[in-house]
Amino acid sequence: MSNPVVCSKINISSFAVTTAYQFEPKVNAFATVPFGKAIWSGSIIFGLNVFSWMTSNEITVKTPKIIMAVNIVTSRRKNLKLAGSERFLMSSTLISFLIGEDPPQRLDKAIARDVPVGASLSRTRLVRLVVGGAVTVNGNVVSDPKARITAGALVEVRVAAAEESHLVPEDIPIEVVHEDADLIVVNKPAGMVVHPAPGSPSGTLVNALIFHCGDTLSGVGGMKRPGVVHRIDKETSGLLVVAKTDAAHHGLAAQFAAHTVARYYRALVYGVPNANDPRLRGVRGVSFEPGNILKITTQLGRHKTDRQRQAVLFQGGRHAVTRTRVISRYGTPESVAQIECWLETGRTHQIRAHMAHVGHGLIGDPVYGGKRKLARGALSEAAKTALERFRRQALHAAILGFVHPITGQNMRYEAPLPDDFNNLLNLLILNPS
């Protein structure tokens, strides 16, 4: 071949894809074999290793100036040991790429910048692969994430097939709002923990999802498990999106980090937030936006003495912003409000801690809300009794919107209020003072 060819290879699931570019409309390209290197035009780069017990099916798609050769490879070699790793792999996938111009000096930062987008490997995952001996630079294993690297270096990353999770699948009914090959959206009931923890080792949403999804979980972070990218409290009901693949997990996590996911909650609170309330305007961190929208801006961090609580801070902690507006008011004088809250950030207990901070704690919240003495005659006895007996925080994740991390489609879902929330609202409406 007279013209130079530049090869780059990415992985899509278990498919190794080699793309060749040249200045003529016809190219002969050959994808890498498992555990080997790339070749083109009969030349060998860094040697070629051919293993037995191997099948390969090649599919070539030709367009002007580009040919894509896709190899679907099955290897029956077992007990393969990666250099620098104590881990034996049943199967793995190879990702090869060149480091671009002016790379960051550290290996982990450089490969995080230049790894093909289709590989969907986060920097955290890449660091683990480097330390585990699964990354080579110009044919040599490099296990130090801080190692220096230069432009033009050939990097190969071997990603092991996902392992079975240690978490136990449990046949627990769940309400599925949407499901496809990449993600699942569920409407979690109050009383269900999202992820197993020392105090809740089973009966969680993750246990239910492992059972429900079965073999459709292709692996997140090297393990066959659901990719939880956000959580809601045990006693909060409503919508969550969970990734089923590494690619979806990577894309969803990036959206949550960029605060582009739409999350709207419904809540019942004591009192009625009002921009004309001088007390509320005097609370630190409070401001109002057009339309009587209350904005709360603080830091949040662990409480010094109660580890179950989040404390509102103005130094230290993590930045937290909540906006809320009143939907309806109840009582004479007005004593309870249904509000809509939406999050700019998503910190632990954010809405609960913020609403308590401004003096409008959530009804039923045993940690932040508590019980409040209402004005005499503000509500009927039936309504007051219902408020006192409400056994969880009156908080529901009602709307969830995001961009599908694989298809790019805008996704938006709404979950109706659960029965206990609705029943309480009906008592407030039908039993005025």
Side-chain angles (χ1 to χ4, degrees):
M1 255 178 149
S2 58
N3 293 313
V5 177
V6 178
C7 281
S8 65
K9 183 164 70 65
I10 65 173
N11 271 335
I12 303 174
S13 186
S14 61
F15 300 92
V17 181
T18 298
T19 306
Y21 301 84
Q22 70 158 15
F23 297 101
E24 299 294 333
K26 184 178 180 180
V27 179
N28 292 320
F30 189 83
T32 63
V33 299
F35 318 121
K37 309 296 178 181
I39 63 171
W40 61 73
S41 302
S43 300
I44 299 177
I45 299 181
F46 303 117
L48 180 65
N49 299 314
V50 180
F51 289 78
S52 59
W53 298 100
M54 186 178 299
T55 60
S56 177
N57 299 317
E58 184 172 321
I59 304 170
T60 302
V61 181
K62 179 160 56 176
T63 60
K65 298 188 178 181
I66 297 177
I67 288 182
M68 299 184 66
V70 180
N71 276 341
I72 306 172
V73 180
T74 303
S75 173
R76 292 176 58 184
R77 284 184 61 87
K78 298 181 180 180
N79 297 333
L80 174 70
K81 188 176 181 180
L82 290 179
S85 172
E86 294 301 319
R87 192 173 168 191
F88 291 89
L89 306 178
M90 290 294 292
S91 62
S92 62
T93 306
L94 189 67
I95 303 164
S96 299
F97 55 97
L98 298 176
I99 296 297
E101 295 295 327
D102 299 320
Q105 292 186 345
R106 289 172 51 126
L107 172 66
D108 57 345
K109 293 183 178 180
I111 62 177
R113 185 196 71 172
D114 292 343
V115 67
V117 174
S120 297
L121 293 173
S122 66
R123 183 180 168 191
T124 300
R125 181 88 192 279
L126 286 167
V127 168
R128 290 201 299 265
L129 291 168
V130 170
V131 172
V135 175
T136 65
V137 178
N138 294 332
N140 299 312
V141 174
V142 181
S143 57
D144 181 6
K146 298 179 182 179
R148 298 298 181 93
I149 192 167
T150 58
L154 175 64
V155 176
E156 293 187 327
V157 181
R158 190 170 296 284
V159 182
E163 298 178 346
E164 294 295 331
S165 172
H166 66 282
L167 300 173
V168 179
E170 297 182 42
D171 186 5
I172 303 171
I174 53 175
E175 182 182 343
V176 177
V177 178
H178 169 83
E179 183 175 15
D180 58 39
D182 304 294
L183 56 84
I184 183 170
V185 178
V186 298
N187 184 17
K188 185 189 82 68
M192 175 181 275
V193 175
V194 172
H195 199 282
S200 304
S202 63
T204 71
L205 179 62
V206 166
N207 295 113
L209 287 172
I210 292 175
F211 180 90
H212 172 84
C213 296
D215 292 337
T216 65
L217 291 174
S218 68
V220 173
M223 184 172 290
K224 288 185 178 179
R225 61 176 177 84
V228 177
V229 290
H230 68 126
R231 304 186 190 192
I232 56 179
D233 299 330
K234 175 182 177 180
E235 298 299 342
T236 299
S237 57
L239 296 170
L240 291 107
V241 58
V242 181
K244 295 169 65 176
T245 68
D246 236 344
H249 187 265
H250 184 66
L252 288 170
Q255 292 181 55
F256 276 93
H259 308 305
T260 58
V261 178
R263 287 171 288 173
Y264 290 81
Y265 292 73
R266 290 292 182 92
L268 280 172
V269 298
Y270 288 106
V272 180
N274 193 314
N276 296 320
D277 182 354
R279 180 202 64 81
L280 189 54
R281 284 192 170 274
V283 175
R284 188 175 180 184
V286 165
S287 61
F288 281 88
E289 296 178 339
N292 199 28
I293 293 173
L294 168 62
K295 180 181 179 182
I296 309 167
T297 307
T298 73
Q299 307 291 109
L300 286 178
R302 287 287 183 190
H303 196 280
K304 289 183 179 180
T305 59
D306 186 349
R307 305 301 292 173
Q308 301 303 313
R309 293 171 61 97
Q310 293 290 307
V312 170
L313 307 170
F314 293 93
Q315 288 185 342
R318 304 180 71 187
H319 183 62
V321 180
T322 303
R323 288 179 173 84
T324 182
R325 68 181 182 90
V326 175
I327 296 175
S328 52
R329 302 166 172 83
Y330 308 98
T332 307
E334 295 173 345
S335 302
V336 175
Q338 181 186 178
I339 61 172
E340 181 180 58
C341 302
W342 56 103
L343 303 179
E344 184 174 312
T345 57
R347 311 303 182 201
T348 301
H349 297 179
Q350 179 173 318
I351 292 174
R352 298 166 64 191
H354 269 174
M355 295 312 298
H357 171 66
V358 300
H360 295 285
L362 270 61
I363 287 169
D365 191 338
V367 178
Y368 300 93
K371 296 180 180 179
R372 179 180 297 187
K373 187 175 181 180
L374 301 175
R376 183 184 296 273
L379 295 170
S380 68
E381 288 301 319
K384 285 197 296 183
T385 300
L387 290 177
E388 293 171 356
R389 293 180 178 177
F390 200 75
R391 298 303 182 189
R392 69 175 183 95
Q393 63 264 13
L395 183 62
H396 175 68
I399 296 174
L400 179 65
F402 57 91
V403 176
H404 195 289
I406 306 303
T407 67
Q409 181 182 357
N410 287 321
M411 318 288 281
R412 188 177 178 89
Y413 302 97
E414 185 168 354
L417 295 174
D419 289 343
D420 62 344
F421 201 121
N422 255 331
N423 292 339
L424 183 55
L425 281 178
N426 288 334
L427 279 171
L428 293 170
I429 294 170
L430 298 175
N431 291 274
S433 59

Short mmCIF file of all heavy atoms in Angstrom, two decimals, residues 153-196:
data_model
loop_
_atom_site.label_atom_id
_atom_site.label_comp_id
_atom_site.label_asym_id
_atom_site.label_seq_id
_atom_site.Cartn_x
_atom_site.Cartn_y
_atom_site.Cartn_z
N ALA A 153 2.09 6.99 21.88
CA ALA A 153 2.23 5.69 22.51
C ALA A 153 1.00 4.83 22.23
O ALA A 153 -0.12 5.31 22.22
CB ALA A 153 2.43 5.85 24.01
N LEU A 154 1.25 3.53 21.98
CA LEU A 154 0.16 2.59 21.76
C LEU A 154 -0.26 1.99 23.09
O LEU A 154 0.55 1.35 23.77
CB LEU A 154 0.59 1.47 20.80
CG LEU A 154 -0.43 0.34 20.59
CD1 LEU A 154 -1.69 0.86 19.93
CD2 LEU A 154 0.18 -0.80 19.79
N VAL A 155 -1.50 2.23 23.47
CA VAL A 155 -2.02 1.73 24.74
C VAL A 155 -2.99 0.61 24.45
O VAL A 155 -3.84 0.70 23.56
CB VAL A 155 -2.73 2.85 25.53
CG1 VAL A 155 -3.36 2.30 26.81
CG2 VAL A 155 -1.75 3.96 25.85
N GLU A 156 -2.85 -0.47 25.22
CA GLU A 156 -3.81 -1.57 25.13
C GLU A 156 -4.36 -1.85 26.52
O GLU A 156 -3.61 -1.98 27.49
CB GLU A 156 -3.15 -2.83 24.56
CG GLU A 156 -2.75 -2.65 23.10
CD GLU A 156 -2.27 -3.95 22.48
OE1 GLU A 156 -1.65 -4.77 23.20
OE2 GLU A 156 -2.51 -4.12 21.29
N VAL A 157 -5.67 -1.92 26.60
CA VAL A 157 -6.35 -2.18 27.86
C VAL A 157 -7.17 -3.46 27.70
O VAL A 157 -8.00 -3.56 26.80
CB VAL A 157 -7.29 -1.01 28.23
CG1 VAL A 157 -7.98 -1.29 29.56
CG2 VAL A 157 -6.53 0.30 28.27
N ARG A 158 -6.90 -4.43 28.57
CA ARG A 158 -7.67 -5.67 28.52
C ARG A 158 -8.71 -5.65 29.64
O ARG A 158 -8.37 -5.55 30.82
CB ARG A 158 -6.77 -6.88 28.67
CG ARG A 158 -7.50 -8.17 28.36
CD ARG A 158 -6.57 -9.35 28.26
NE ARG A 158 -5.64 -9.24 27.16
CZ ARG A 158 -5.94 -9.43 25.88
NH1 ARG A 158 -7.19 -9.73 25.54
NH2 ARG A 158 -5.03 -9.34 24.95
N VAL A 159 -9.96 -5.72 29.24
CA VAL A 159 -11.07 -5.66 30.18
C VAL A 159 -11.65 -7.06 30.34
O VAL A 159 -12.11 -7.67 29.37
CB VAL A 159 -12.16 -4.69 29.70
CG1 VAL A 159 -13.29 -4.61 30.71
CG2 VAL A 159 -11.56 -3.30 29.46
N ALA A 160 -11.62 -7.56 31.57
CA ALA A 160 -12.12 -8.91 31.83
C ALA A 160 -13.63 -8.96 31.70
O ALA A 160 -14.33 -7.97 31.91
CB ALA A 160 -11.71 -9.36 33.23
N ALA A 161 -14.13 -10.13 31.34
CA ALA A 161 -15.58 -10.33 31.34
C ALA A 161 -16.12 -10.13 32.75
O ALA A 161 -15.45 -10.41 33.74
CB ALA A 161 -15.90 -11.74 30.85
N ALA A 162 -17.34 -9.61 32.83
CA ALA A 162 -17.92 -9.29 34.13
C ALA A 162 -18.05 -10.54 34.99
O ALA A 162 -18.45 -11.61 34.51
CB ALA A 162 -19.28 -8.64 33.95
N GLU A 163 -17.73 -10.39 36.28
CA GLU A 163 -17.86 -11.49 37.23
C GLU A 163 -19.27 -11.53 37.81
O GLU A 163 -19.99 -10.54 37.80
CB GLU A 163 -16.87 -11.30 38.39
CG GLU A 163 -15.41 -11.32 37.97
CD GLU A 163 -14.49 -11.08 39.15
OE1 GLU A 163 -15.00 -10.64 40.21
OE2 GLU A 163 -13.30 -11.33 39.03
N GLU A 164 -19.63 -12.67 38.32
CA GLU A 164 -20.90 -12.79 39.02
C GLU A 164 -20.85 -11.99 40.32
O GLU A 164 -19.83 -11.97 41.01
CB GLU A 164 -21.23 -14.25 39.33
CG GLU A 164 -21.47 -15.11 38.09
CD GLU A 164 -22.71 -14.69 37.33
OE1 GLU A 164 -23.65 -14.16 37.97
OE2 GLU A 164 -22.74 -14.88 36.09
N SER A 165 -21.94 -11.32 40.64
CA SER A 165 -21.98 -10.51 41.86
C SER A 165 -22.14 -11.40 43.09
O SER A 165 -22.73 -12.48 43.04
CB SER A 165 -23.16 -9.53 41.79
OG SER A 165 -23.33 -8.86 43.01
N HIS A 166 -21.58 -10.93 44.21
CA HIS A 166 -21.77 -11.63 45.48
C HIS A 166 -23.16 -11.34 46.07
O HIS A 166 -23.57 -12.01 47.01
CB HIS A 166 -20.70 -11.18 46.48
CG HIS A 166 -20.83 -9.74 46.88
ND1 HIS A 166 -20.40 -8.72 46.06
CD2 HIS A 166 -21.34 -9.15 47.99
CE1 HIS A 166 -20.64 -7.55 46.66
NE2 HIS A 166 -21.22 -7.79 47.82
N LEU A 167 -23.86 -10.36 45.50
CA LEU A 167 -25.19 -10.03 45.99
C LEU A 167 -26.20 -11.09 45.55
O LEU A 167 -26.13 -11.61 44.43
CB LEU A 167 -25.61 -8.65 45.48
CG LEU A 167 -24.69 -7.49 45.88
CD1 LEU A 167 -25.10 -6.21 45.17
CD2 LEU A 167 -24.74 -7.29 47.39
N VAL A 168 -27.13 -11.40 46.42
CA VAL A 168 -28.06 -12.49 46.18
C VAL A 168 -29.32 -11.98 45.47
O VAL A 168 -29.93 -11.01 45.92
CB VAL A 168 -28.47 -13.16 47.51
CG1 VAL A 168 -29.47 -14.29 47.26
CG2 VAL A 168 -27.24 -13.69 48.23
N PRO A 169 -29.69 -12.60 44.34
CA PRO A 169 -30.96 -12.20 43.70
C PRO A 169 -32.14 -12.62 44.57
O PRO A 169 -32.15 -13.72 45.13
CB PRO A 169 -30.93 -12.97 42.38
CG PRO A 169 -30.00 -14.11 42.60
CD PRO A 169 -28.98 -13.64 43.59
N GLU A 170 -33.15 -11.75 44.66
CA GLU A 170 -34.33 -12.05 45.45
C GLU A 170 -35.58 -11.72 44.64
O GLU A 170 -35.66 -10.65 44.01
CB GLU A 170 -34.32 -11.25 46.75
CG GLU A 170 -33.16 -11.58 47.68
CD GLU A 170 -33.21 -10.79 48.97
OE1 GLU A 170 -34.31 -10.63 49.54
OE2 GLU A 170 -32.15 -10.31 49.41
N ASP A 171 -36.53 -12.64 44.68
CA ASP A 171 -37.77 -12.47 43.92
C ASP A 171 -38.71 -11.53 44.68
O ASP A 171 -39.62 -11.97 45.39
CB ASP A 171 -38.43 -13.84 43.71
CG ASP A 171 -39.64 -13.75 42.79
OD1 ASP A 171 -39.90 -12.66 42.25
OD2 ASP A 171 -40.32 -14.79 42.62
N ILE A 172 -38.45 -10.24 44.54
CA ILE A 172 -39.24 -9.20 45.19
C ILE A 172 -39.97 -8.41 44.10
O ILE A 172 -39.33 -7.93 43.17
CB ILE A 172 -38.33 -8.26 46.01
CG1 ILE A 172 -37.52 -9.05 47.04
CG2 ILE A 172 -39.16 -7.17 46.68
CD1 ILE A 172 -36.45 -8.22 47.72
N PRO A 173 -41.27 -8.26 44.18
CA PRO A 173 -42.00 -7.50 43.15
C PRO A 173 -41.51 -6.05 43.08
O PRO A 173 -41.30 -5.41 44.11
CB PRO A 173 -43.46 -7.57 43.61
CG PRO A 173 -43.52 -8.74 44.54
CD PRO A 173 -42.18 -8.82 45.21
N ILE A 174 -41.31 -5.56 41.87
CA ILE A 174 -40.95 -4.16 41.66
C ILE A 174 -41.81 -3.60 40.53
O ILE A 174 -42.24 -4.33 39.64
CB ILE A 174 -39.46 -3.98 41.31
CG1 ILE A 174 -39.06 -4.87 40.13
CG2 ILE A 174 -38.58 -4.26 42.51
CD1 ILE A 174 -37.62 -4.65 39.66
N GLU A 175 -42.06 -2.30 40.59
CA GLU A 175 -42.85 -1.63 39.55
C GLU A 175 -41.89 -1.05 38.52
O GLU A 175 -41.19 -0.08 38.79
CB GLU A 175 -43.71 -0.52 40.14
CG GLU A 175 -44.58 0.17 39.11
CD GLU A 175 -45.41 1.31 39.68
OE1 GLU A 175 -45.56 1.37 40.93
OE2 GLU A 175 -45.88 2.15 38.89
N VAL A 176 -41.86 -1.64 37.36
CA VAL A 176 -40.98 -1.20 36.27
C VAL A 176 -41.72 -0.18 35.42
O VAL A 176 -42.77 -0.48 34.84
CB VAL A 176 -40.51 -2.39 35.42
CG1 VAL A 176 -39.64 -1.90 34.26
CG2 VAL A 176 -39.74 -3.39 36.27
N VAL A 177 -41.17 1.02 35.33
CA VAL A 177 -41.77 2.08 34.53
C VAL A 177 -41.25 2.03 33.09
O VAL A 177 -41.98 2.28 32.14
CB VAL A 177 -41.46 3.45 35.16
CG1 VAL A 177 -42.04 4.59 34.33
CG2 VAL A 177 -42.01 3.51 36.58
N HIS A 178 -39.97 1.69 32.95
CA HIS A 178 -39.36 1.56 31.62
C HIS A 178 -38.17 0.61 31.75
O HIS A 178 -37.46 0.63 32.75
CB HIS A 178 -38.87 2.92 31.10
CG HIS A 178 -38.00 2.79 29.88
ND1 HIS A 178 -38.51 2.66 28.60
CD2 HIS A 178 -36.64 2.75 29.74
CE1 HIS A 178 -37.51 2.57 27.74
NE2 HIS A 178 -36.37 2.62 28.41
N GLU A 179 -37.95 -0.18 30.71
CA GLU A 179 -36.77 -1.05 30.68
C GLU A 179 -36.35 -1.27 29.25
O GLU A 179 -37.18 -1.49 28.36
CB GLU A 179 -37.06 -2.40 31.35
CG GLU A 179 -35.83 -3.30 31.41
CD GLU A 179 -36.08 -4.59 32.18
OE1 GLU A 179 -37.26 -4.92 32.42
OE2 GLU A 179 -35.09 -5.27 32.54
N ASP A 180 -35.04 -1.20 29.00
CA ASP A 180 -34.48 -1.58 27.71
C ASP A 180 -33.17 -2.31 27.97
O ASP A 180 -32.87 -2.69 29.11
CB ASP A 180 -34.31 -0.36 26.78
CG ASP A 180 -33.42 0.73 27.38
OD1 ASP A 180 -32.41 0.40 28.03
OD2 ASP A 180 -33.73 1.93 27.18
N ALA A 181 -32.37 -2.52 26.93
CA ALA A 181 -31.15 -3.30 27.08
C ALA A 181 -30.10 -2.60 27.94
O ALA A 181 -29.19 -3.25 28.47
CB ALA A 181 -30.56 -3.60 25.70
N ASP A 182 -30.23 -1.28 28.13
CA ASP A 182 -29.18 -0.52 28.79
C ASP A 182 -29.53 -0.04 30.19
O ASP A 182 -28.63 0.17 31.01
CB ASP A 182 -28.81 0.70 27.92
CG ASP A 182 -28.40 0.30 26.52
OD1 ASP A 182 -27.36 -0.35 26.40
OD2 ASP A 182 -29.14 0.60 25.56
N LEU A 183 -30.80 0.17 30.46
CA LEU A 183 -31.18 0.74 31.75
C LEU A 183 -32.60 0.34 32.12
O LEU A 183 -33.35 -0.20 31.31
CB LEU A 183 -31.03 2.26 31.73
CG LEU A 183 -31.78 3.05 30.64
CD1 LEU A 183 -33.21 3.32 31.03
CD2 LEU A 183 -31.06 4.36 30.34
N ILE A 184 -32.94 0.59 33.37
CA ILE A 184 -34.27 0.31 33.87
C ILE A 184 -34.70 1.45 34.80
O ILE A 184 -33.88 1.96 35.57
CB ILE A 184 -34.32 -1.05 34.60
CG1 ILE A 184 -35.75 -1.38 35.07
CG2 ILE A 184 -33.35 -1.11 35.76
CD1 ILE A 184 -35.89 -2.82 35.56
N VAL A 185 -35.95 1.88 34.67
CA VAL A 185 -36.52 2.91 35.53
C VAL A 185 -37.59 2.25 36.38
O VAL A 185 -38.48 1.58 35.85
CB VAL A 185 -37.12 4.07 34.71
CG1 VAL A 185 -37.76 5.11 35.64
CG2 VAL A 185 -36.05 4.73 33.84
N VAL A 186 -37.50 2.42 37.70
CA VAL A 186 -38.45 1.78 38.60
C VAL A 186 -39.09 2.83 39.51
O VAL A 186 -38.52 3.89 39.76
CB VAL A 186 -37.77 0.70 39.47
CG1 VAL A 186 -37.22 -0.41 38.60
CG2 VAL A 186 -36.67 1.29 40.33
N ASN A 187 -40.28 2.49 39.99
CA ASN A 187 -40.99 3.30 40.96
C ASN A 187 -40.87 2.59 42.31
O ASN A 187 -41.57 1.62 42.58
CB ASN A 187 -42.45 3.46 40.55
CG ASN A 187 -43.23 4.38 41.49
OD1 ASN A 187 -42.64 5.13 42.26
ND2 ASN A 187 -44.55 4.31 41.42
N LYS A 188 -39.93 3.04 43.13
CA LYS A 188 -39.63 2.37 44.40
C LYS A 188 -40.70 2.68 45.44
O LYS A 188 -41.06 3.84 45.63
CB LYS A 188 -38.27 2.82 44.92
CG LYS A 188 -37.81 2.08 46.18
CD LYS A 188 -36.57 2.69 46.78
CE LYS A 188 -36.87 3.90 47.65
NZ LYS A 188 -37.58 3.55 48.90
N PRO A 189 -41.17 1.67 46.16
CA PRO A 189 -42.14 1.94 47.23
C PRO A 189 -41.43 2.44 48.48
O PRO A 189 -40.23 2.17 48.69
CB PRO A 189 -42.76 0.56 47.48
CG PRO A 189 -41.68 -0.41 47.12
CD PRO A 189 -40.94 0.22 45.97
N ALA A 190 -42.13 3.16 49.32
CA ALA A 190 -41.58 3.54 50.62
C ALA A 190 -41.33 2.28 51.43
O ALA A 190 -42.06 1.29 51.33
CB ALA A 190 -42.56 4.45 51.35
N GLY A 191 -40.26 2.28 52.22
CA GLY A 191 -39.92 1.14 53.04
C GLY A 191 -38.88 0.23 52.45
O GLY A 191 -38.41 -0.69 53.11
N MET A 192 -38.48 0.46 51.19
CA MET A 192 -37.47 -0.39 50.54
C MET A 192 -36.14 0.35 50.47
O MET A 192 -36.06 1.47 49.97
CB MET A 192 -37.91 -0.79 49.13
CG MET A 192 -36.85 -1.57 48.35
SD MET A 192 -37.38 -2.02 46.67
CE MET A 192 -38.27 -3.54 47.02
N VAL A 193 -35.07 -0.30 50.96
CA VAL A 193 -33.72 0.25 50.85
C VAL A 193 -33.22 0.03 49.43
O VAL A 193 -33.52 -0.99 48.80
CB VAL A 193 -32.79 -0.44 51.87
CG1 VAL A 193 -31.35 0.01 51.70
CG2 VAL A 193 -33.26 -0.16 53.29
N VAL A 194 -32.45 0.98 48.90
CA VAL A 194 -31.97 0.86 47.53
C VAL A 194 -30.86 -0.17 47.42
O VAL A 194 -30.88 -1.04 46.55
CB VAL A 194 -31.50 2.23 47.00
CG1 VAL A 194 -30.81 2.07 45.63
CG2 VAL A 194 -32.68 3.18 46.88
N HIS A 195 -29.85 -0.08 48.28
CA HIS A 195 -28.64 -0.92 48.15
C HIS A 195 -28.35 -1.63 49.46
O HIS A 195 -28.52 -1.04 50.53
CB HIS A 195 -27.45 -0.05 47.74
CG HIS A 195 -26.31 -0.83 47.14
ND1 HIS A 195 -25.43 -1.55 47.91
CD2 HIS A 195 -25.91 -0.99 45.87
CE1 HIS A 195 -24.53 -2.13 47.12
NE2 HIS A 195 -24.81 -1.82 45.88
N PRO A 196 -27.90 -2.89 49.42
CA PRO A 196 -27.57 -3.59 50.66
C PRO A 196 -26.53 -2.84 51.48
O PRO A 196 -25.60 -2.24 50.94
CB PRO A 196 -27.01 -4.94 50.17
CG PRO A 196 -27.62 -5.15 48.84
CD PRO A 196 -27.73 -3.77 48.24
#
